Amino acid sequence: MRNAAGVISSVVCLLIASLFNATASAAEPASFDSAFDTVAAFRYLHQPDLVFNTVNHQELLLDVTRPDDNRARPVLLFFHGGGWAYNNKNHADMWLLPWLAEGFAVVNADYRKVDVATAPGAVDDARCALNWIALNADRFHFDLNRIVVSGHSAGGHLALMTGYATDSGLFDRQCWNGDGPKVAAVINWYGITDVADLLSGPHQHAYAVQWIGNPPDPVALAKKVSPLSYLRKDVPPTLSIHGDADTVVPYSHSLRLHEALRKLGVTEQLITVPGANHGEFSNEAVTNAYQAIWAFLARQKLLPDQDRGSGK
């Protein structure tokens, strides 16, 4: 199932496109020099703007980028941030470089924003993207036993909900296929874990109030779309990265999550970035975070083979 136009000798074209399609932000990882060098040396299959669901006549799109070979590859499913209100998958392009360099197949998915769907719309869409991976595993040689879900900020929240949520009757109404695939690990970059905490009080934020909308019981809905509501012993191993001076998503969100996971005996790790605001990490902090991520995933046996990305 190869589209010849989709096979490129490097992802330089993808990188250039990302520079024009996505504006740099403080929440973007600071340094990808080594990842760029590694990725640019290999051949990749890049298929953008694949429709993974249609809701109320709106097509939801994702991109697939993977080494150009037929080997079953572990999968990264990634969600961009933006308070469930702005940005799109193109803003996540630079976040994908380390994963491509490591040899993952990468699925970069969009979701409905609050202007067309309040909660739980984005969660439905995120879980539909996960289901799409299962339905297209043969086509793209996805290893369904090694699915890692990640995202930053609101995307971190969606990654956690994708891995944690159960069939509560609230989600999975659009496109879920049976039980769906199991997420093997979650890598959460300063994501929201308690939406209700952001509706009022000292941590109130307009982006959360807007996303919840005007249901009969906003707090009840907020709890249903909060990862903290789905903690149990069999949730996926989880690693979070969070600055302890974050003014957009309180550091306490990750702290509470990992304290609870620890009590349940779930494999977890919290990387605290001292003095850092929302994603405002130094090059050194980003490098250290990725080293921790690879070590964490290696312990779960979720990394690609050592000949990663060779396309041979």
Side-chain angles (χ1 to χ4, degrees):
M1 271 306 304
R2 293 244 171 93
N3 177 349
V7 178
I8 51 179
S9 61
S10 73
V11 292
V12 173
C13 294
L14 174 64
L15 300 178
I16 293 173
S18 75
L19 294 177
F20 284 96
N21 292 332
T23 56
S25 71
E28 188 172 289
S31 176
F32 290 94
D33 291 344
S34 62
F36 184 98
D37 291 342
T38 304
V39 168
F42 300 123
R43 292 181 60 86
Y44 286 81
L45 175 72
H46 178 58
Q47 293 199 344
D49 297 334
L50 301 173
V51 178
F52 70 89
N53 196 28
T54 302
V55 185
N56 296 328
H57 307 292
Q58 178 181 350
E59 292 184 336
L60 300 175
L61 306 177
L62 55 76
D63 302 337
V64 175
T65 309
R66 56 152 294 139
D68 183 25
D69 59 30
N70 292 326
R71 298 178 182 179
R73 296 275 176 172
V75 186
L76 170 74
L77 173 58
F78 195 89
F79 301 107
H80 68 83
W84 310 289
Y86 60 94
N87 292 338
N88 57 49
K89 60 184 174 59
N90 294 329
H91 288 75
D93 283 344
M94 298 299 287
W95 286 81
L96 309 180
L97 284 176
W99 298 88
L100 291 171
E102 200 64 25
F104 280 81
V106 172
V107 177
N108 181 21
D110 222 329
Y111 49 90
R112 285 171 293 166
K113 309 306 184 295
V114 69
D115 59 337
V116 297
T118 54
V123 178
D124 269 333
D125 299 342
R127 289 173 63 80
C128 280
L130 175 65
N131 191 59
W132 184 93
I133 289 173
L135 295 175
N136 289 272
D138 291 340
R139 176 183 178 186
F140 290 105
H141 306 289
F142 295 143
D143 183 344
L144 296 183
N145 292 315
R146 295 188 291 173
I147 300 175
V148 179
V149 187
S150 184
H152 60 281
S153 196
H157 162 266
L158 294 177
L160 290 164
M161 287 298 295
T162 300
Y164 287 15
T166 57
D167 183 8
S168 64
L170 182 65
F171 315 119
D172 306 339
R173 296 171 294 180
Q174 295 292 334
C175 58
W176 202 246
N177 180 28
D179 293 331
K182 181 174 175 59
V183 171
V186 178
I187 306 298
N188 162 43
W189 293 83
Y190 43 88
I192 300 100
T193 66
D194 183 358
V195 181
D197 179 51
L198 305 179
L199 296 185
S200 62
H203 294 158
Q204 182 182 41
H205 276 284
Y207 69 84
V209 175
Q210 184 183 26
W211 187 56
I212 291 300
N214 297 298
D217 190 339
V219 173
L221 176 58
K223 289 181 178 179
K224 287 182 178 178
V225 293
S226 293
L228 285 176
S229 298
Y230 297 90
L231 299 185
R232 57 195 185 279
K233 292 183 178 180
D234 64 344
V235 298
T238 301
L239 182 146
S240 296
I241 306 97
H242 211 134
D244 63 7
D246 197 322
T247 59
V248 178
V249 178
Y251 172 67
S252 59
H253 279 221
S254 286
L255 188 62
R256 290 166 57 202
L257 171 67
H258 283 270
E259 287 175 345
L261 292 175
R262 200 170 301 125
K263 290 179 180 178
L264 288 169
V266 176
T267 300
E268 54 77 33
Q269 185 175 355
L270 172 59
I271 306 298
T272 301
V273 185
N277 201 343
H278 194 61
E280 296 179 355
F281 304 155
S282 67
N283 288 4
E284 180 181 10
V286 172
T287 299
N288 291 340
Y290 275 106
Q291 289 175 345
I293 290 169
W294 306 144
F296 183 83
L297 295 179
R299 291 192 293 272
Q300 314 311 314
K301 302 186 184 305
L302 296 176
L303 289 183
D305 296 332
Q306 291 303 308
D307 57 346
R308 55 187 181 270
S310 65
K312 297 181 182 179

